[in-house]
Amino acid sequence: MGDFIQLKRGDFRVSIDLERAELAIEVGNCPPFVSDREHGPRIYFADGSQVDFDDRFWASAQLHLLRADAESCQLRIDAAAFAMTLSFTVSEARSLEIGIEEVESRGAAIRELRYPGALLFELGEPHLPLDINRGGYSLIPLQQGLLLPLNWPRPWSDPPFDGRIGSSSATLPVFAQCRAAGAGGYRLRVLDYADAAYQIDHDPGRQKTALSIRFFASLGAWSEPMRQRFTFFEAAAPSEIAQQYRVEVLAEDRLKTLRDKRQGRSQLGDLIGAQFIHWSIKRNIRASSRLYCHEQPELNHSLASFESRADALEALHRAGVGHCYVHLDGWAEPGYDNQHPDPYPVCEAAGGIEGLIHFSRRAHAAGDLVGLHDQYRDFYFDAASFDLDEAVMNPDGSHPEHANWAGGRQTYLCAKRARDYVERNFSRLAREGFKPDAAYLDVFTCNEGDECANPRHPMRRYDCYQARKACFEYLVDLGILTSSEEVNDWAMTALDFCHYAPYEFMLKEPGAEKLGLPFSFFNLVYHDAVIIPWMMELHAAEDYMLYAFLNGGAPYLIREAAYPGIDGAFGDAGLIDEDKHRERCQVLAAFHRIIAEAAMLKQEFLNSDGRQLASEFAGGYRVSIDLDRGTLAVEKDKAPWLAYSRAGGFTGLGLEQLIPADS
């Protein structure tokens, strides 16, 4: 047997060290991938201690081979503080599936574990200027997506939401690392990701990126197996990696396209090509909120009537704006982000239920759609339905609590109770004679899954995602379009559109340093399954409209900030006047009508620093942008079709087709 076991399938070989459980993986003629000892396996315990699988650990731990054949094996690690059983299986697709089959604590409870840790990924040559065509990259599903060159000049080690997969930190359960051309790479899919997160440590000085997956106990126990699948290749472009996952989603019957979703719901077809408006009705920041402005108390409150919003909408149409989707914040008492899940009644000072109904009728007469902001995670202590017994309970019996948002003191509602409140609230609106075209269930697809230790309604993170999805499915059954703050793989069969699905830098102040290069990882999988509105600001450093065209998205005509200064809300449209902004939105909306239901096939970088990009869509459309020059070019069937520059605006045959002269 020797001191290692080898699993083999064709030219794909996996060697497992039987003294340290380390890996060496060979594919074709590429240099082998090996375990990164510096970022290797680790166990974290509830008492705050941790164990690294280093020389000291292996001096006393034992590794047992339980079974083996040519393509699979099972190992057991026995140590003083724990035992763990691992499985390894290779397949003809050059894939290695690793399963954590059993985890047993022999002392303090195990809170978190990391296995196999990172595979060694470093440049291995002197520092070079940034060049994405050499030196390799990591592909991270952070929000819309991020390509991190191995020689990216800035460090990164702290993803949002602690790297939780299923939050906006990882909207897909897929990662990749690719070395220089011909040196091979791998795609990593986390198959059981509800209790998983990624860890990343990018060190530009050493030109090294360590990427690994962490798993967590849920309700103090382990849900086995926890599986990861590494698929190795000799060479692959980033778009190919995304397309490979799309093929898997199709095979698993999880790709429900917009064309599928709009069967029986005509308003989804009407949402295609709409210009998005985000308006507030009532703003009411409580004194207990961290956002309360003590210096200028008048800034904590604002009110716009439904009638004034209807007048403003009709004025936009008289100015030539096409059909819109209008999202209303703060439509109910006592105002935006207050007393959830009980915002009620409809804001009386703004016109009450009759005012809302009249607003909707006027919007519909103009061909517009109306959606309402709603919230079923934040659970406010002053809500009429508040009952601490329905809140998320931590394993120690405590409850999470903060006062970050307008309504002040809050905890979290256990998601197992969320659908009951959704049904109650939308039934109440229906009894009053109002049915929205769409509903926005805030934070569901952005924030990580919760777990609840209350014995009356225990909930694992997996259960939480399913409960959130059930809320969307209920709205679908009512014929109401579904939306949430961002997008996420687990929700895609039931989510129609979103507030945004941006690149990570778009939520920061303009000009802030980027973590890597923008890459449309999510859109390459799901573009034809969800409608994404994009920011349209023209900033000094770059034009966000170019990214909107690159992604075949819908335009934000008005994006009134719920909370100025965070989440991409940093002022108005930037360096352009109102008429020019409307023109840009009109052209993009018309292009969206063409491209929304087309699959996104490719995104590529056209120069070494990633400032020139191109995307391709089914139907023969190719979009190229130059972020430094501020230019756009769209080809149709390889012929020039539409162009844009800051100085000259839009030109080309496509403009005549998108915006006819008599429109």
Side-chain angles (χ1 to χ4, degrees):
M1 182 175 62
D3 60 357
F4 69 91
I5 186 170
Q6 187 174 85
L7 310 178
K8 185 175 180 181
R9 191 75 179 260
D11 65 351
F12 180 56
R13 299 168 294 280
V14 177
S15 298
I16 306 167
D17 187 329
L18 293 178
E19 294 182 354
R20 302 177 60 98
E22 292 179 338
L23 304 175
I25 298 143
E26 300 172 82
V27 54
N29 296 316
C30 299
F33 280 89
V34 298
S35 296
D36 181 351
R37 288 194 174 187
E38 184 181 1
H39 297 87
R42 177 177 292 174
I43 303 281
Y44 298 87
F45 295 91
D47 63 4
S49 62
Q50 68 182 51
V51 171
D52 290 287
F53 289 27
D54 54 16
D55 292 338
R56 180 178 174 184
F57 169 79
W58 288 113
S60 59
Q62 294 182 325
L63 186 59
H64 305 284
L65 178 62
L66 302 183
R67 63 167 180 81
D69 57 37
E71 298 175 358
S72 68
C73 70
Q74 191 175 62
L75 304 177
R76 179 177 173 86
I77 300 173
D78 275 306
F82 71 94
M84 181 168 67
T85 302
L86 306 170
S87 66
F88 304 83
T89 305
V90 299
S91 72
E92 60 185 356
R94 291 175 165 177
S95 290
L96 168 65
E97 185 169 308
I98 300 176
I100 302 172
E101 304 289 342
E102 184 181 25
V103 180
E104 174 191 343
S105 173
R106 292 173 173 170
I110 298 173
R111 175 176 56 87
E112 175 187 337
L113 64 84
R114 182 175 72 191
Y115 186 87
L119 297 178
L120 189 62
F121 189 67
E122 57 187 354
L123 194 58
E125 53 184 287
H127 186 73
L128 299 170
L130 176 65
D131 184 346
I132 62 172
N133 298 313
R134 63 178 300 177
Y137 62 83
S138 298
L139 194 56
I140 311 295
L142 172 63
Q143 296 175 293
Q144 180 60 232
L146 179 80
L147 188 141
L148 177 62
L150 190 49
N151 58 350
W152 185 253
R154 288 177 287 280
W156 183 33
S157 60
D158 188 21
F161 296 110
D162 196 30
R164 297 281 184 162
I165 303 172
S167 74
S168 65
S169 187
T171 59
L172 300 169
V174 181
F175 305 78
Q177 291 190 311
C178 184
R179 299 189 291 208
Y186 69 88
R187 176 172 62 95
L188 167 58
R189 178 178 175 184
V190 184
L191 298 168
D192 303 294
Y193 66 80
D195 296 320
Y198 67 98
Q199 184 167 327
I200 192 163
D201 186 358
H202 175 66
D203 184 344
R206 300 168 62 189
Q207 299 184 88
K208 176 177 180 178
T209 306
L211 170 68
S212 57
I213 302 301
R214 304 144 56 211
F215 290 98
F216 300 88
S218 182
L219 301 181
W222 287 91
S223 301
E224 300 94 1
M226 291 162 283
R227 297 168 299 152
Q228 308 168 64
R229 181 186 299 143
F230 295 80
T231 302
F232 292 82
F233 48 80
E234 294 179 72
S239 292
E240 293 176 298
I241 293 166
Q243 290 296 314
Q244 289 163 4
Y245 181 58
R246 179 181 168 92
V247 169
E248 293 177 4
V249 171
L250 277 165
E252 295 162 9
D253 198 26
R254 294 192 296 111
L255 186 66
K256 192 171 184 181
T257 66
L258 290 170
R259 190 171 283 109
D260 298 329
K261 291 176 180 178
R262 63 186 172 91
Q263 297 302 311
R265 293 190 299 158
S266 61
Q267 73 268 38
L268 182 54
D270 296 335
L271 191 62
I272 295 173
Q275 299 181 53
F276 279 63
I277 296 175
H278 191 137
W279 268 335
S280 173
I281 298 299
K282 184 174 182 179
R283 176 183 175 90
N284 180 23
I285 300 179
R286 303 298 184 91
S288 60
S289 168
R290 72 173 176 90
L291 297 172
Y292 187 83
C293 181
H294 294 273
E295 294 76 17
Q296 296 177 278
E298 68 277 7
L299 297 180
N300 298 303
H301 308 282
S302 65
L303 179 70
S305 69
F306 294 116
E307 184 177 9
S308 69
R309 292 306 194 190
D311 290 344
L313 187 59
E314 290 177 355
L316 288 171
H317 292 312
R318 287 195 298 272
V321 171
H323 78 285
C324 298
Y325 167 73
V326 184
H327 166 113
L328 296 179
D329 280 344
W331 55 274
E333 300 290 2
Y336 176 74
D337 269 2
N338 272 251
Q339 295 186 1
H340 289 293
D342 300 311
Y344 192 76
V346 175
C347 184
E348 294 171 341
I353 184 65
E354 292 302 323
L356 177 59
I357 291 172
H358 189 55
F359 170 83
S360 182
R361 287 173 179 165
R362 290 175 69 180
H364 287 168
D368 301 325
L369 300 174
V370 177
L372 302 181
H373 171 280
D374 214 347
Q375 218 327 338
Y376 296 93
R377 186 184 187 233
D378 294 349
F379 197 18
Y380 287 88
F381 279 76
D382 63 349
S385 298
F386 183 79
D387 180 350
L388 196 58
D389 189 57
E390 291 194 335
V392 163
M393 178 185 287
N394 296 321
D396 64 2
S398 65
H399 302 272
E401 183 178 330
H402 64 78
N404 288 340
W405 309 121
R409 189 180 177 213
Q410 66 158 91
T411 181
Y412 298 130
L413 177 68
C414 179
K416 280 192 171 181
R417 292 288 289 117
R419 177 164 171 162
D420 293 338
Y421 285 108
V422 174
E423 293 186 18
R424 183 202 66 178
N425 291 351
F426 283 87
S427 296
R428 183 164 55 194
L429 283 172
R431 289 194 300 271
E432 293 188 323
F434 181 72
K435 177 183 174 181
D437 301 302
Y440 170 89
L441 306 189
D442 202 1
V443 312
F444 269 9
T445 54
C446 175
N447 287 66
E448 75 280 13
D450 300 313
E451 61 176 6
C452 179
N454 190 319
R456 284 175 287 281
H457 44 83
M459 179 180 69
R460 300 171 301 153
R461 298 180 190 95
Y462 174 83
D463 302 325
C464 179
Y465 290 133
Q466 295 304 304
R468 291 177 182 179
K469 186 177 175 183
C471 295
F472 295 134
E473 291 170 339
Y474 170 75
L475 295 173
V476 170
D477 290 342
L478 292 182
I480 296 174
L481 303 183
T482 60
S483 175
S484 193
E485 185 168 356
E486 299 201 26
V487 289
N488 227 293
D489 184 78
W490 57 264
M492 289 315 298
T493 58
L495 193 72
D496 298 318
F497 66 110
C498 63
H499 177 49
Y500 47 34
Y503 302 116
E504 57 83 22
F505 65 87
M506 290 181 165
L507 298 189
K508 301 174 183 176
E509 194 163 357
E513 289 187 342
K514 296 179 174 68
L515 297 178
L517 297 173
F519 184 74
S520 302
F521 201 177
F522 192 90
N523 261 356
L524 282 159
V525 180
Y526 286 118
H527 175 265
D528 55 344
V530 65
I531 294 172
I532 298 174
W534 285 80
M535 302 175 190
M536 296 289 287
E537 288 86 346
L538 174 59
H539 296 297
E542 57 192 13
D543 186 348
Y544 283 6
M545 181 195 71
L546 302 182
Y547 294 109
F549 270 95
L550 183 77
N551 283 280
Y556 257 115
L557 179 67
I558 299 172
R559 191 166 55 88
E560 190 174 276
Y563 300 113
I566 61 174
D567 292 343
F570 297 99
D572 56 17
L575 305 176
I576 53 175
D577 62 29
E578 192 170 303
D579 290 340
K580 183 63 69 175
H581 173 66
R582 289 175 182 172
E583 179 192 24
R584 286 152 54 100
C585 290
Q586 184 182 16
V587 176
L588 177 61
F591 185 57
H592 186 247
R593 282 196 292 273
I594 293 175
I595 211 76
E597 294 184 321
M600 188 177 190
L601 306 177
K602 180 189 290 188
Q603 183 193 310
E604 57 185 336
F605 298 96
L606 304 179
N607 66 341
S608 62
D609 65 3
R611 297 288 291 170
Q612 296 175 17
L613 302 92
S615 60
E616 294 182 7
F617 296 87
Y621 289 91
R622 177 180 171 88
V623 180
S624 303
I625 64 173
D626 187 318
L627 296 167
D628 292 325
R629 291 190 174 93
T631 59
L632 161 76
V634 181
E635 295 174 281
K636 182 180 180 183
D637 298 325
K638 299 184 179 181
W641 188 70
L642 181 69
Y644 172 85
S645 68
R646 289 193 184 190
F650 289 100
T651 57
L653 175 63
L655 182 63
E656 299 172 15
Q657 295 176 358
L658 294 172
I659 313 294
D662 59 354
S663 57

